[in-house]
């Protein structure tokens, strides 16, 4: 049976293609044409086939698989599942039951109900209860029944409570493509979102690029002899890159306030692991922003170091600041802005930051807050004028490293 | 435009357990005559797939193991100057010294192109080579021909081989490269699958050790902040180590006493972390 490309279907595929592009999956028109070819060859006879083949042809990295799944589930919702609405609640309720069995305390807290009351229910009753709750939820908050995103379509955002985790392959599946897409098997491969402990290995590989490349000024003797012979005796000298000294890194982490808590440890683990590749990693701490001191002890009490003294360090040192850059504007702008009394230095924090940026021309600010939210915070905007800011995510780290290595 | 005499569809070989999704992707790539790029952690059977395709379609398999120092020309052909020099000095071979073609030997890609029957060409661990190599190679595979400069001859492929390319790298290959391939990512086997894999390697293994070691293995894989997670190969070696130890009892594993962690974790920070996690669990 060959797949008939009716104009309606074509529009659907074109829309699907643009939706992928819109949410940031790098899809190329050539790949789209290849997909059309596959369709016209009669290779695709069902939505299942379409799911598999369109992913293989359009998406070239597993990091986009999760996003693809979400767009697919959204776009082809209802194509072969007219009772999708009911099914969706069932799926979610089942997922919630699983979560309940794993950790009843956490879920009841999320739902805001008494754990012991639900404990009396049988699994069937629990499922029914969850379904009721879900119906309320969708009516109250979303106004529709799309399970992705809240109050509209946003595949990049938080996609609801889904503890099912990644399903690993190797087993034949007998679920529909949309359901499989809804499983979000590739969530763990997606590289957006702030760094987690599980991503450290991956992030490390990005950091490994933080090695200097020297000029091509060392003679490669073997290659020179070879090329000279090949040239019929005319001397041809071949140069190699000189290995330059390893880098020095100053890491300054905002460890004040609960908003930074989850990230402090991750960033430290990251640089601990990578320690050997650097000549020297110095770690300092600050709260919200930098005034006249950075602290060597996490409690920010015992070992202050005046930032004036940082001029003694090699200006080639890479300065990496990690913080959410979110605070009250006066903390940044006012000359006595620090919320800590002992830190009243008379110089606004903004100037201190500028001083650091001037001392170390190669510096970046890593922010765990997603880049899309940066415009909403005034202090982020102000700090971005001083330091190039990148997301504390795998992608952000990659860009930050590229920036630090620029000539 | 489907090449109908290229044999049937691929449905899995005798010893390779294939998931349905992957089989579809292989078939589509064959029909579209596009290379299939497979990524995934080591130990997910990327290389095995090419062997399985060759076996099930009864095509000869040609393997090009990519090395970091490799130049594209090595994969295409070699001009054996040394033999020619030798022949011209001693002249006791059946080769004709004045005919350079006698001294051209085909590389792996060349062999796939000149083969009489359709072949499966496995290009293993493409990520080891540099980007230029990758792009140039795809050009050759795209055009299905290359020139032998020494004799000014163009070699073009009789039949387009089924091309499977594997990559271990987490980093993406270049865009032009990706544009010419279909892509699939093979996930790490789940515990059930792993039981089958281990069963093949240790047919005699008792069930208790199998269960306990596999569940301990997956627990250890879930440790946070590990740079190199243990893969199938490490598990197999670990089980080998456990079975070789006469004092070892499978019950230890359930209690969280995991000997020979060094077999699973080969980087020292990883090892330290795993050790700490194991000790922590035992104290609790």
């Amino acid at each position: 049976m060959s797949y008939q490309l009716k104009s309606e279907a074509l529009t659907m595929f074109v829309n699907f293609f643009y939706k992928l592009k819109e949410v940031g999956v790098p899809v190329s028109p050539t790949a789209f044409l290849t997909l059309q070819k596959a369709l016209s060859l009669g290779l695709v006879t069902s939505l299942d086939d379409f799911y598999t083949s369109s992913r293989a042809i359009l998406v070239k990295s597993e990091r986009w698989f999760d996003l693809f799944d979400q767009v697919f589930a959204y776009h082809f919702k209802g194509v072969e599942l007219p009772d999708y609405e009911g099914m969706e609640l069932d799926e979610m309720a089942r997922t919630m039951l699983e979560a309940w069995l794993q950790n009843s305390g956490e879920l009841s807290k999320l739902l805001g109900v008494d754990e012991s009351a639900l404990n009396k229910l049988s699994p069937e009753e629990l499922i029914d209860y969850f379904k009721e709750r879900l119906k309320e939820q969708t009516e109250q908050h979303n106004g529709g029944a799309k399970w992705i995103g809240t109050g509209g379509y946003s595949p990049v955002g938080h996609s609801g409570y889904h503890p099912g985790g990644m399903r690993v392959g190797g087993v034949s599946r007998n679920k529909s493509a949309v359901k499989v897409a809804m499983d979000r098997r590739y969530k763990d491969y997606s590289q957006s979102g702030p760094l987690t402990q599980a991503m450290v290995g991956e992030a490390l590989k990005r950091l490994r690029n933080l090695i200097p490349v020297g000029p091509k000024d060392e003679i490669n003797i073997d290659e020179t002899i070879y090329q000279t012979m090949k040239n019929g005796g005319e001397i041809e000298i071949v140069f190699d890159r000189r290995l330059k000294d390893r880098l020095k890194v100053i890491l300054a982490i905002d460890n004040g306030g609960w908003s930074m808590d989850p990230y402090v440890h991750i960033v430290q683990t990251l640089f601990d692991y990578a320690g050997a590749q650097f000549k020297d990693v110095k770690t300092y701490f600050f709260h919200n922003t930098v005034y006249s001191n950075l602290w060597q002890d996490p409690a920010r009490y015992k070992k202050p170091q005046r930032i004036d003294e940082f001029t003694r360090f090699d200006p080639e040192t890479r300065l990496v600041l990690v913080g959410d850059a979110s605070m009250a504007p006066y903390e940044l702008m006012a000359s006595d802005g620090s919320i800590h009394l002992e830190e009243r230095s008379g110089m606004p924090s903004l100037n201190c930051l500028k001083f650091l940026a001037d001392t170390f021309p190669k510096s970046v600010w890593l922010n765990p807050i997603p880049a899309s939210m940066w415009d909403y915070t005034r202090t982020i905007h102000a700090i971005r004028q001083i330091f190039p800011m990148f997301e504390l995510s795998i992608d952000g780290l990659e860009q930050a490293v590229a920036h630090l290595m620029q000539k | 435009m489907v090449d109908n005499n290229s044999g049937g569809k691929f449905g899995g070989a005798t010893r390779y357990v294939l998931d349905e999704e992957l089989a579809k992707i292989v078939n589509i790539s064959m029909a579209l005559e596009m290379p299939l790029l497979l990524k995934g952690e080591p130990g997910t059977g990327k290389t095995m797939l090419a062997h399985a395709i060759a076996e099930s379609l009864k095509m000869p398999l040609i393997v090009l193991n990519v090395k970091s120092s490799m130049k594209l020309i090595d994969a295409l052909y070699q001009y054996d100057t040394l033999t020619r020099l030798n022949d011209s000095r001693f002249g006791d071979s059946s080769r004709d010294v004045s005919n350079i073609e006698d001294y051209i030997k085909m590389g792996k890609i060349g062999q796939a192109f000149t083969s009489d029957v359709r072949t499966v060409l496995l290009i293993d661990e493409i990520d080891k080579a540099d980007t230029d190599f990758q792009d140039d190679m795809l050009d050759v595979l795209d055009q299905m021909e290359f020139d032998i400069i020494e004799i000014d001859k163009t070699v073009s492929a009789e039949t387009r081989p089924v091309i499977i390319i594997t990559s271990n790298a987490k980093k993406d290959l270049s865009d032009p490269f990706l544009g010419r391939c279909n892509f699939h990512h093979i996930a790490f086997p789940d515990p059930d699958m792993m039981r089958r894999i281990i069963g093949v390697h240790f047919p005699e293994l008792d069930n208790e050790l199998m269960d306990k070691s596999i569940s301990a293995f997956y627990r250890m894989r879930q440790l946070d902040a590990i740079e190199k997670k243990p893969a199938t190969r490490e598990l197999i070696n670990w089980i080998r180590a456990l079975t070789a130890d006469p004092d070892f009892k499978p019950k230890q594993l359930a209690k969280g006493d995991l000997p020979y962690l060094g077999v699973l974790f080969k980087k020292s920070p990883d090892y330290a972390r795993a050790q700490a996690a194991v000790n922590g669990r035992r104290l609790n």
Side-chain angles (χ1 to χ4, degrees):
Chain A
M1 188 188 93
S2 134
Y3 201 99
Q4 292 298 313
L5 259 190
K6 301 202 183 76
S7 66
E8 197 181 309
L10 184 64
T11 322
M12 188 165 79
F13 293 142
V14 170
N15 288 343
F16 176 56
F17 177 77
Y18 278 103
K19 194 50 137 185
L20 285 172
K21 223 177 155 71
E22 190 185 310
V23 301
V25 181
V27 281
S28 74
T30 328
F32 185 65
L33 291 178
T34 310
L35 180 60
Q36 298 299 328
K37 190 175 158 201
L39 290 168
S40 63
L41 283 174
L43 298 168
V44 179
T45 53
S46 67
L47 195 61
D48 269 16
D49 286 355
F50 182 72
Y51 169 76
T52 314
S53 50
S54 60
R55 200 189 62 203
I57 294 170
L58 295 176
V59 189
K60 309 290 182 168
S61 172
E62 69 277 13
R63 61 206 282 195
W64 306 112
F65 277 12
D66 183 45
L67 210 49
F68 175 87
D69 276 0
Q70 293 178 64
V71 174
F72 190 91
Y74 167 82
H75 201 82
F76 291 96
K77 165 180 113 85
V79 166
E80 59 173 15
L81 293 163
D83 60 339
Y84 180 78
E85 234 80 316
M87 191 274 313
E88 162 205 339
L89 285 183
D90 286 348
E91 278 274 303
M92 278 304 284
R94 191 185 51 74
T95 319
M96 284 172 82
L97 181 67
E98 273 172 26
W100 172 263
L101 293 173
Q102 274 169 17
N103 189 345
S104 53
E106 194 187 327
L107 191 65
S108 47
K109 220 189 289 168
L110 272 171
L111 290 170
V113 289
D114 185 17
E115 190 183 339
S116 57
L118 290 189
N119 265 335
K120 295 185 192 114
L121 301 178
S122 73
E124 285 79 4
E125 286 169 329
L126 265 175
I127 290 247
D128 284 339
Y129 173 78
F130 288 143
K131 267 197 233 172
E132 280 311 307
R133 286 297 305 258
L134 282 167
K135 269 185 204 156
E136 282 170 33
Q137 293 265 324
T138 41
E139 279 156 19
Q140 279 174 7
H141 302 298
N142 284 355
K146 293 188 181 71
W147 71 284
I148 308 168
T150 43
Y153 169 62
S154 151
V156 214
H158 300 283
S159 45
Y161 190 66
H162 183 84
M166 191 178 61
R167 209 181 70 114
V168 251
V171 209
S172 133
R173 61 184 163 82
N174 44 16
K175 295 172 101 179
S176 78
V178 173
K179 272 191 176 177
V180 167
M182 280 176 61
D183 268 357
R184 304 198 50 203
R185 294 173 293 164
Y186 296 98
K187 208 161 106 190
D188 293 4
Y189 293 107
S190 169
Q191 299 187 343
S192 59
L195 226 48
T196 61
Q197 286 276 342
M199 290 182 188
V200 162
E202 198 48 33
L204 208 52
K205 296 208 176 79
R206 304 302 189 280
L207 215 56
R208 293 273 189 243
N209 290 329
L210 210 54
I211 41 169
V213 185
K216 275 195 170 181
D217 61 2
E218 238 171 30
I219 296 176
N220 180 334
I221 295 184
D222 285 349
E223 191 63 21
T224 301
I225 293 173
Y226 177 78
Q227 291 297 341
T228 304
M229 298 317 281
K230 227 183 161 183
N231 244 4
E234 280 295 311
I235 305 254
E236 172 89 39
I237 298 176
V238 181
F239 290 99
D240 269 357
R241 283 191 196 287
R242 174 172 47 132
L243 270 182
K244 265 178 69 175
D245 215 357
R246 289 174 301 163
L247 291 177
K248 292 174 210 158
V249 174
I250 293 180
L251 185 62
I253 307 176
D254 173 3
N255 70 340
W258 56 270
S259 58
M260 282 302 297
D261 270 357
Y263 307 108
V264 173
H265 188 61
I266 294 170
V267 172
Q268 277 189 296
T269 319
L270 195 58
F271 278 83
D272 274 357
Y273 265 85
Q277 90 185 54
F278 303 118
K279 191 167 188 182
D280 184 28
V281 182
K282 286 194 175 63
T283 309
Y284 295 97
F285 298 94
F286 61 93
H287 183 190
N288 280 353
T289 180
V290 181
Y291 299 97
S292 48
N293 292 319
L294 281 167
W295 275 266
Q296 278 167 313
D297 57 321
R300 301 188 308 277
Y301 178 67
K302 281 183 196 140
K303 295 185 198 155
Q305 180 151 13
R306 296 189 58 77
I307 58 168
D308 309 348
E309 292 167 26
F310 278 60
T311 45
R312 286 191 289 113
F313 293 132
D314 181 355
E316 275 293 294
T317 305
R318 304 317 198 253
L319 172 66
V320 179
L321 295 118
V322 185
D324 57 13
S326 308
M327 65 207 93
Y330 73 85
E331 291 183 49
L332 205 56
M333 326 282 183
S335 55
D336 53 355
S338 173
I339 50 177
H340 299 287
L341 277 173
E342 68 281 6
E343 256 186 311
R344 298 283 155 89
S345 60
M347 191 154 67
S349 173
L350 216 49
N351 290 8
C352 298
L353 291 176
K354 268 194 196 114
F355 174 78
L356 281 177
D358 290 344
T359 313
F360 305 106
K362 284 167 186 151
S363 54
V364 288
W365 185 295
L366 296 173
N367 195 332
I369 296 178
S372 53
M373 307 300 289
W374 290 354
D375 287 340
Y376 301 111
T377 310
R378 221 175 119 194
T379 48
I380 292 186
H381 184 74
I383 289 176
R384 281 182 77 188
Q385 309 289 319
I386 303 170
F387 291 106
M389 193 177 282
F390 300 95
E391 261 182 316
L392 184 60
S393 64
I394 303 259
D395 286 341
L397 205 59
E398 194 171 334
Q399 291 156 12
V401 167
H403 180 85
L404 286 174
M405 294 319 294
Q406 263 171 23
K407 284 272 146 66
Chain B
M1 201 187 74
V2 191
D3 187 6
N4 277 325
N5 45 25
S6 64
K9 278 192 172 177
F10 173 57
T14 42
R15 277 175 313 165
Y16 183 85
V17 198
L18 182 77
D19 79 70
E20 201 188 325
E21 197 173 31
L22 185 51
K24 270 184 196 161
I25 293 172
V26 170
N27 284 326
I28 276 216
S29 303
M30 272 167 40
L32 288 171
E33 305 194 317
M34 280 170 78
L36 173 61
L37 171 64
L38 291 173
K39 279 198 344 188
E41 282 181 60
T44 44
K46 299 185 292 293
T47 310
M48 283 303 294
L49 176 73
H51 289 268
I53 296 173
E55 189 191 322
S56 90
L57 299 178
K58 301 198 170 47
M59 293 182 193
L61 174 69
I62 295 175
V63 184
L64 171 65
N65 286 306
V66 178
K67 310 252 171 7
S68 58
S69 58
M70 196 176 248
K71 300 209 164 57
L72 179 63
I73 197 115
D74 302 337
L76 302 177
Y77 69 93
Q78 282 154 358
Y79 170 29
D80 191 350
T81 43
L82 209 60
T83 306
R84 187 164 176 235
L85 196 65
N86 189 63
D87 283 355
S88 70
R89 172 74 179 76
F90 301 104
D92 53 359
S93 80
S94 56
R95 290 175 287 264
D96 177 4
V97 179
S98 59
N99 183 7
I100 296 179
E101 199 163 351
D102 281 5
Y103 298 93
I104 301 284
K105 283 185 187 152
M106 284 300 157
K108 296 295 178 186
I109 294 181
Q111 287 171 24
F113 281 12
T114 50
S115 163
D116 298 331
V117 290
R118 198 174 185 200
T119 55
V120 176
L121 174 60
L122 168 66
I123 298 167
D124 215 2
E125 305 193 37
I126 181 84
D127 50 300
K128 280 189 182 165
D130 59 18
T131 323
D132 286 347
F133 175 93
Q134 297 166 5
D135 291 349
D136 293 350
M137 190 186 72
L138 257 271
D139 276 336
V140 170
L141 296 180
D142 224 25
Q143 282 150 21
M144 299 302 290
E145 59 177 38
F146 61 87
D147 294 331
I148 299 177
I149 305 160
E150 283 82 357
I151 52 173
D152 195 17
K153 186 183 152 190
T154 304
V155 177
S156 23
E158 313 273 310
T159 50
R160 186 176 281 265
V162 177
I163 302 169
I164 306 288
I165 303 171
T166 74
S167 166
N168 279 330
K170 294 271 180 88
K171 83 168 201 259
D172 291 340
L173 300 165
S174 76
D175 285 342
F177 187 94
L178 292 172
R180 291 170 186 177
C181 299
N182 290 331
F183 172 76
H184 186 61
H185 178 270
I186 304 185
F188 196 78
D190 62 4
D192 283 345
M193 188 66 156
M194 191 54 92
R195 286 183 65 95
R196 286 154 77 181
I197 297 172
I198 295 301
V200 171
H201 284 266
F202 302 95
E204 306 287 304
L205 197 68
D206 75 83
N207 268 331
E208 189 187 9
L209 179 57
M210 167 101 89
D211 287 345
K212 300 238 160 72
S213 57
I214 289 180
S215 80
F217 170 75
Y218 279 92
R219 273 205 312 275
M220 296 312 281
R221 266 181 68 83
Q222 276 170 3
L223 282 185
D224 278 338
I226 291 297
E227 186 178 358
K228 192 183 175 309
K229 286 187 179 178
T232 316
R233 192 179 306 140
E234 278 76 33
L235 175 62
I236 290 170
N237 287 336
W238 193 49
I239 292 180
R240 200 167 284 148
L242 293 178
T243 46
D245 181 353
D247 295 332
F248 171 77
K249 302 269 181 305
K251 279 197 187 91
Q252 286 172 244
L253 295 178
K255 285 184 203 143
D257 176 13
L258 310 179
Y260 310 115
L261 274 182
V263 180
L264 291 177
F265 296 94
K266 292 170 179 165
K267 302 218 168 202
S268 45
D270 286 352
Y271 177 73
R273 207 172 176 87
Q275 195 75 53
V278 167
N279 290 338
R281 188 174 295 143
R282 219 181 304 170
L283 289 176
N284 285 339

